[in-house]
Amino acid sequence: MATGIVIAAAGRGERFTQAGGTGNKLNAALQGSTVFEQTLRQALASGLPVQVVTRPENLPVQRACAAHQVPVTLLASGGLGESIAAGVAATSGWHGWLIHLADMPFVTPAVFLQVAGALQQHSIVRPVCQRQPGHPVGFSAVWRNALCALCGDRGARDLLSREPVYLLPLDQPGIVQDIDLPSQLPSPP
């Protein structure tokens, strides 16, 4: 099976609501759709398989996935590590995973393909833009068990800090641009 994209969409987005945003940030309006729908469209346009991990109560994310026939893992996640573990466990037939955050709608299909391509020669790949690490982060099949064992809110940071990571230089600011606060949403035209 191919390398695929696991979209982690099970966070609570508490910083967004604490800063005055309403509802889950993934369902906030962006470019005629929502933050999540834009992220999902970019991932699907890569042609790679996609698996989404989201909260049981996030019905708009589930509806968007159903509309695009994207499989979903429901998880009342306590943190990014649990979301990654659930997504990788649900796709154990894949030979590589691009771990992507659902609040990063500006990552282009080409970026997913470039990271997946680099994963053919390296076991962990992380794109960087102007020396700033971004997403998605690619892991080859040798990391399946370690990814499935993740828990808590640190995601895969421990793996990234102790293992050799190939840094893929990309001139793509979208790989470091997320939506954590209402002020980070582009103003409507």
Side-chain angles (χ1 to χ4, degrees):
M1 186 80 179
T3 292
I5 303 166
V6 172
I7 300 178
R12 289 189 282 273
E14 292 167 339
R15 285 192 306 196
F16 184 80
T17 52
Q18 289 167 356
T22 54
N24 189 303
K25 67 180 175 180
L26 299 181
N27 305 319
L30 177 69
Q31 299 171 347
S33 61
T34 67
V35 171
F36 175 76
E37 289 168 338
Q38 184 68 19
T39 300
L40 182 63
R41 269 201 297 280
Q42 299 271 42
L44 289 170
S46 73
L48 297 171
V50 176
Q51 173 81 28
V52 173
V53 179
T54 194
R55 301 186 76 74
E57 68 272 16
N58 197 332
L59 299 180
V61 165
Q62 293 173 48
R63 281 193 292 271
C65 291
H68 293 281
Q69 300 178 330
V70 171
V72 174
T73 300
L74 299 179
L75 178 69
S77 176
L80 181 57
E82 290 175 26
S83 297
I84 293 170
V88 171
T91 56
S92 60
W94 292 359
H95 66 251
W97 298 268
L98 305 184
I99 306 301
H100 191 54
L101 306 179
D103 65 354
M104 298 190 73
F106 307 110
V107 173
T108 65
V111 167
F112 289 111
L113 293 172
Q114 288 171 294
V115 174
L119 207 51
Q120 302 299 312
Q121 283 81 41
H122 307 279
S123 71
I124 302 177
V125 177
R126 185 154 203 190
V128 293
C129 180
Q130 298 175 358
R131 291 183 275 171
Q132 207 177 350
H135 283 85
V137 180
F139 294 90
S140 72
V142 300
W143 298 108
R144 180 183 292 114
N145 292 340
L147 292 169
C148 286
L150 294 174
C151 59
D153 201 29
R154 290 184 49 80
R157 284 187 204 142
D158 293 337
L159 279 178
L160 297 174
S161 66
R162 70 174 188 254
E163 301 296 339
V165 177
Y166 174 70
L167 299 176
L168 176 65
L170 296 177
D171 188 20
Q172 294 280 336
I175 68 169
V176 296
Q177 186 178 1
D178 63 359
I179 307 284
D180 276 337
L181 305 170
S183 60
Q184 292 171 316
L185 288 166
S187 300

